[in-house]
Amino acid sequence: MSTDQQRPWGRLGGEEESGSVKKARRQRGFWKELPILIGIALLLALLIKTFLVQAFSIPSDSMQDTLQRGDRVLVDKLTPWFGSEPQRGEVVVFHDPGGWLDETPAPEPNAVQQVLSFIGLMPSAEEKDLIKRVIAVGGDTVECHGTGPVKVNGKALKEDSYLFPGNTPCGDKPFGPVKVPKGSIWVMGDHRQRSQDSRYHTNLKGNGTVETKQVVGRAFTIAWPINRWSWLPVPDTFDQPGLDKAVAAAPAALGLAGAVPIAVWRHRSGARQTTEDTASPASPARGSGLDARDDEL
């Protein structure tokens, strides 16, 4: 066979060998890069859990019917980093302020659960967290007598849209009035007769309130199960006029109360000064009409 006839076969054989080598190299490269890719994915998941969003599982019936036992909610952890404070009506996750949860030890998680918890795909069994609805914020006065309604700054809340059917706003545990300290919140469950919330911890530090620094973030959606997917909006009752007005009226009322005695004193002082000026002819400047008008002004 001639050289020219051998060359195409030689080139073809060379290409087959080169393709096999490249394929083997790609396979070796993939397996070498796989741990790096897994590491990057875990790092991203950890960063997301730490700074952006974290999943939490609902362990009880205290937030029915809004949340059911076993629901997975996503919690916004980003906005608190920018100074955002919990607002009335929001559903929030917060750490146990101390004494809210019993000391029953949690079951020991297995290795898979520990990994999923570490990267934020599963709640941590070691952290003692609760989920409730914010009813009042720092500066508010909240109370509930008899069977309700709950009042915030004297304004009655219409809670029918989220309160568990058949529940009364506070029939099982009336309370207040409680003045919520600055930097704290008052929280209650939607299933009032099954919720050990702020009402049941008024004997503890903070009088049942929770410091905002204990808040992990706002639960904004139900992510699992799929058929339960929905947003967790703020109910309209917390947008009604008058909730903030009562708080703003307090400083204004104090200012008015302080201004009235000052105005009375100035009026009496002016009248006394005018009388003295008129009765003192020895001082023409003080007895002039201009001074009298100035005193009246």
Side-chain angles (χ1 to χ4, degrees):
M1 184 178 293
S2 66
T3 305
D4 293 338
Q5 289 176 329
Q6 293 178 351
R7 283 179 181 173
W9 291 100
R11 286 197 299 271
L12 183 59
E15 289 176 359
E16 286 183 351
E17 182 180 1
S18 177
S20 300
V21 171
K22 288 181 179 179
K23 184 177 180 180
R25 287 178 178 175
R26 283 198 299 268
Q27 289 178 343
R28 287 197 298 269
F30 170 76
W31 289 110
K32 286 182 179 180
E33 292 176 358
L34 183 59
I36 299 176
L37 294 175
I38 293 175
I40 293 174
L42 292 175
L43 178 60
L44 289 175
L46 182 60
L47 290 174
I48 290 173
K49 170 203 169 183
T50 305
F51 299 105
L52 299 179
V53 175
Q54 185 173 356
F56 285 85
S57 177
I58 305 304
S60 70
D61 300 328
S62 68
M63 283 297 294
Q64 286 181 321
D65 271 342
T66 304
L67 300 174
Q68 301 291 343
R69 186 190 296 260
D71 283 352
R72 261 64 170 182
V73 298
L74 297 183
V75 173
D76 168 25
K77 301 179 69 175
L78 176 63
T79 52
W81 285 88
F82 295 94
S84 175
E85 295 283 339
Q87 301 298 311
R88 303 185 197 97
E90 294 180 348
V91 176
V92 297
V93 171
F94 57 95
H95 300 310
D96 182 1
W100 284 45
L101 296 174
D102 56 36
E103 299 301 323
T104 303
E108 189 69 23
N110 57 41
V112 175
Q113 291 174 328
Q114 289 178 339
V115 172
L116 293 177
S117 174
F118 178 73
I119 62 178
L121 297 179
M122 186 174 179
S124 173
E126 299 176 358
E127 294 180 357
K128 293 187 174 182
D129 298 318
L130 302 96
I131 184 165
K132 305 290 180 188
R133 189 179 298 278
V134 179
I135 300 299
V137 296
D140 288 344
T141 298
V142 59
E143 59 188 311
C144 186
H145 305 287
T147 58
V150 174
K151 293 183 179 180
V152 177
N153 300 323
K155 191 73 173 180
L157 298 181
K158 301 175 182 178
E159 303 188 281
D160 297 341
S161 64
Y162 57 86
L163 205 62
F164 186 78
N167 274 194
T168 58
C170 65
D172 59 314
K173 188 70 172 178
F175 64 92
V178 175
K179 180 76 172 180
V180 182
K182 291 293 184 182
S184 298
I185 54 177
W186 178 273
V187 296
M188 299 174 72
D190 290 355
H191 194 165
R192 296 288 159 81
Q193 274 66 65
R194 296 291 296 273
S195 177
Q196 298 288 315
D197 46 43
S198 288
R199 299 170 294 162
Y200 288 86
H201 302 97
T202 54
N203 60 316
L204 301 177
K205 179 183 177 182
N207 200 21
T209 62
V210 179
E211 293 182 325
T212 54
K213 65 182 181 181
Q214 299 292 342
V215 175
V216 177
R218 175 188 175 183
F220 63 92
T221 187
I222 302 173
W224 187 265
I226 296 299
N227 64 337
R228 290 272 303 150
W229 185 92
S230 64
W231 297 109
L232 297 172
V234 173
D236 293 339
T237 188
F238 293 96
D239 295 328
Q240 63 178 312
L243 288 182
D244 292 318
K245 189 178 297 183
V247 178
L254 291 176
L256 180 62
V260 169
I262 295 175
V264 172
W265 177 82
R266 285 177 60 86
H267 177 74
R268 290 180 177 177
S269 176
R272 184 170 61 252
Q273 184 69 31
T274 302
T275 303
E276 290 175 354
D277 290 342
T278 304
S280 304
S283 177
R286 293 182 60 194
S288 66
L290 180 61
D291 283 339
R293 283 196 299 272
D294 287 345
D295 285 339
E296 290 171 2
L297 291 176

